[in-house]
Amino acid sequence: VVLLNNKNAFMVGSKTLKYIFHSGKNSKQVYYIRNFLRLCLLPDVWYRSQRNAILRSLDDRPDKEYILSRVDYYCRLAQETPLSGKAKRIADFHRKGHRSVYFFDSYEFVRYFPTALRWQFAFGDIRDLQDEPSIVKSRPLVDNNENSILLNMDKVRHFIFLNDKIPFVKKKDKAIFRGEVVGKPRRIEFLERWWGDPSCDVGEVGKHCVRPEWRGVMLTLAEHLEYKFVLSLEGNDVASNLKWVMSSNSLAVMPRPTCETWFMEGKLIPDYHYVEIKPDYSDLKERMEHFINHPDEAQTIIQHAHEWIAQFQDKQREKLISLLVFDKYFRMTGQSKLLCSQE
């Protein structure tokens, strides 16, 4: 018994070490080093001097209409909407007091603009509508969300793309889910229905568990790719794994999303970019069996998912879109005159 327990402990320990060193996720250490260097190497005045030239480059691009369509999607303000007195000047925006990834991911672009400009922001996992135009990472998928202006924030966790070499037909005929569940009612509902079912390998990970029996071994992203079906379940806002799942040769499986980010989850087409299941998850096994028996249909969805992913992989274009979103935000909040300043 002692030997068996020691063997199990060794196996769990090996799994944990493998996850720590080969999780497949973006390195936060590299992210922070790169952003601290970006913060310190060049002064803000240099970035401000480059802004107009970068924005003017839009006119010579063959994808200009596509770029503008994304800018208008992220910033839906259709009429001038002045900010309240709560809005802060760019000059007063500092790393201290703000969650680091949100500071770095927003300051990367807002530093191109005059420091007298004012803006409002809401950092974190946002599901609520904003009272005034605000820069956010996520917003609810409802008609009146124009005050929520999307920017690609916390991208070190959310924007991960994989090179999956396993064809769909060679993967396991099972669904996989690993994720934090505490405080996430929709994920709790999923585990209540499907934990222990032989067609699924599901478990919760994190510091705390809703139920001890739900505790699952942490898996690397590469280990997830051994399965035909990967569940993308919303937590506090969006499903953070959706980007890397859609870049793989597995099928992303989820109910229709209720929130969106820079990834434009609201524009994804069910059963075209991902496999849609009912909000109560009751038809999961039925949907799995269909695509196991129709791998050609699965491959078509995977190809469409790859096409969706491709639009986010042009770094220069993503930078231009981000700057244009801020430019539109400042103009639509009645600050056009200040955009002419270099201070």
Side-chain angles (χ1 to χ4, degrees):
V1 172
V2 172
L3 287 173
L4 184 60
N5 287 339
N6 287 341
K7 182 180 179 181
N8 289 339
F10 175 77
M11 290 177 66
V12 172
S14 298
K15 279 280 190 181
T16 303
L17 287 173
K18 183 178 181 181
Y19 180 83
I20 291 172
F21 292 106
H22 301 286
S23 70
K25 297 181 178 180
N26 293 327
S27 167
K28 280 205 169 183
Q29 289 80 6
V30 172
Y31 168 85
Y32 283 121
I33 291 171
R34 183 172 61 246
N35 278 280
F36 275 114
L37 288 174
R38 182 188 288 133
L39 188 65
C40 301
L41 289 180
L42 290 171
D44 288 355
V45 66
W46 183 89
Y47 288 93
R48 293 196 293 273
S49 71
Q50 302 298 306
R51 184 185 78 252
N52 288 334
I54 296 172
L55 295 180
R56 283 197 300 268
S57 70
L58 173 69
D59 293 331
D60 298 324
R61 295 189 62 107
D63 55 355
K64 177 179 178 179
E65 294 305 315
Y66 162 82
I67 289 174
L68 290 176
S69 70
R70 277 185 62 186
V71 172
D72 288 340
Y73 188 83
Y74 296 135
C75 182
R76 291 181 166 174
L77 295 172
Q79 60 185 10
E80 189 170 299
T81 309
L83 296 170
S84 72
K86 296 187 299 181
K88 292 177 169 52
R89 295 186 311 149
I90 293 175
D92 299 325
F93 184 55
H94 305 291
R95 184 167 60 90
K96 187 177 180 180
H98 298 295
R99 296 169 63 180
S100 294
V101 292
Y102 289 92
F103 169 80
F104 284 129
D105 290 344
S106 57
Y107 196 68
E108 178 182 355
F109 302 109
V110 79
R111 72 188 310 187
Y112 282 85
F113 293 87
T115 59
L117 288 166
R118 296 184 308 122
W119 64 314
Q120 187 63 279
F121 49 83
F123 291 164
D125 301 330
I126 304 299
R127 295 185 63 94
D128 301 323
L129 295 174
Q130 302 303 300
D131 295 331
E132 62 179 311
S134 304
I135 301 295
V136 297
K137 180 200 76 176
S138 55
R139 67 187 179 196
L141 281 166
V142 293
D143 291 336
N144 57 334
N145 64 4
E146 61 274 3
N147 276 343
S148 300
I149 291 82
L150 292 174
L151 186 69
N152 192 1
M153 294 190 284
D154 199 10
K155 53 193 172 190
V156 67
R157 184 168 73 93
H158 283 260
F159 272 74
I160 300 170
F161 303 126
L162 303 180
N163 181 20
D164 185 3
K165 297 181 180 179
I166 308 174
F168 178 80
V169 294
K170 296 292 183 66
K171 296 172 183 272
K172 299 176 184 178
D173 294 340
K174 296 180 72 173
I176 179 77
F177 170 77
R178 289 292 189 278
E180 294 184 0
V181 175
V182 173
K184 300 171 173 61
R186 300 188 70 185
R187 292 184 178 183
I188 293 174
E189 291 172 13
F190 176 79
L191 264 71
E192 285 176 339
R193 179 177 284 273
W194 290 107
W195 186 83
D197 189 284
S199 66
C200 300
D201 182 348
V202 302
E204 62 172 313
V205 295
K207 293 182 180 179
H208 307 285
C209 282
V210 175
R211 297 182 187 176
E213 65 270 24
W214 286 357
R215 169 73 70 177
V217 175
M218 296 184 74
L219 301 178
T220 66
L221 302 191
E223 289 171 321
H224 281 75
L225 301 186
E226 298 173 8
Y227 297 77
K228 281 187 167 75
F229 309 95
V230 183
L231 274 300
S232 291
L233 305 180
E234 291 185 334
N236 294 328
D237 49 21
V238 297
S240 61
N241 71 342
L242 183 59
K243 292 86 171 173
W244 64 257
V245 178
M246 286 181 58
S247 72
S248 77
N249 294 325
S250 299
L251 286 170
V253 182
M254 64 181 188
R256 197 164 300 203
T258 64
C259 289
E260 68 175 345
T261 63
W262 189 261
F263 195 59
M264 302 187 292
E265 285 88 345
K267 295 187 74 172
L268 293 174
I269 303 171
D271 298 326
Y272 183 89
H273 293 114
Y274 67 94
V275 175
E276 182 181 20
I277 55 176
K278 294 177 180 179
D280 65 358
Y281 314 112
S282 60
D283 60 341
L284 172 61
K285 191 176 295 187
E286 174 189 334
R287 302 293 283 147
M288 289 171 58
E289 290 174 353
H290 175 85
F291 289 103
I292 291 170
N293 295 326
H294 299 86
D296 53 333
E297 293 184 24
Q299 193 58 52
T300 298
I301 293 177
I302 290 167
Q303 181 57 40
H304 293 156
H306 290 179
E307 291 167 359
W308 187 262
I309 289 291
Q311 68 185 313
F312 301 99
Q313 296 181 311
D314 184 332
K315 292 183 179 179
Q316 286 302 110
R317 186 170 68 185
E318 294 298 289
K319 175 181 177 180
L320 176 57
I321 293 172
S322 298
L323 290 175
L324 286 165
V325 167
F326 265 118
D327 187 72
K328 181 179 178 181
Y329 172 82
F330 291 128
R331 294 182 188 280
M332 297 304 293
T333 52
Q335 304 182 79
S336 296
K337 290 183 179 179
L338 284 174
L339 283 170
C340 300
S341 171
Q342 290 299 313
E343 296 299 328

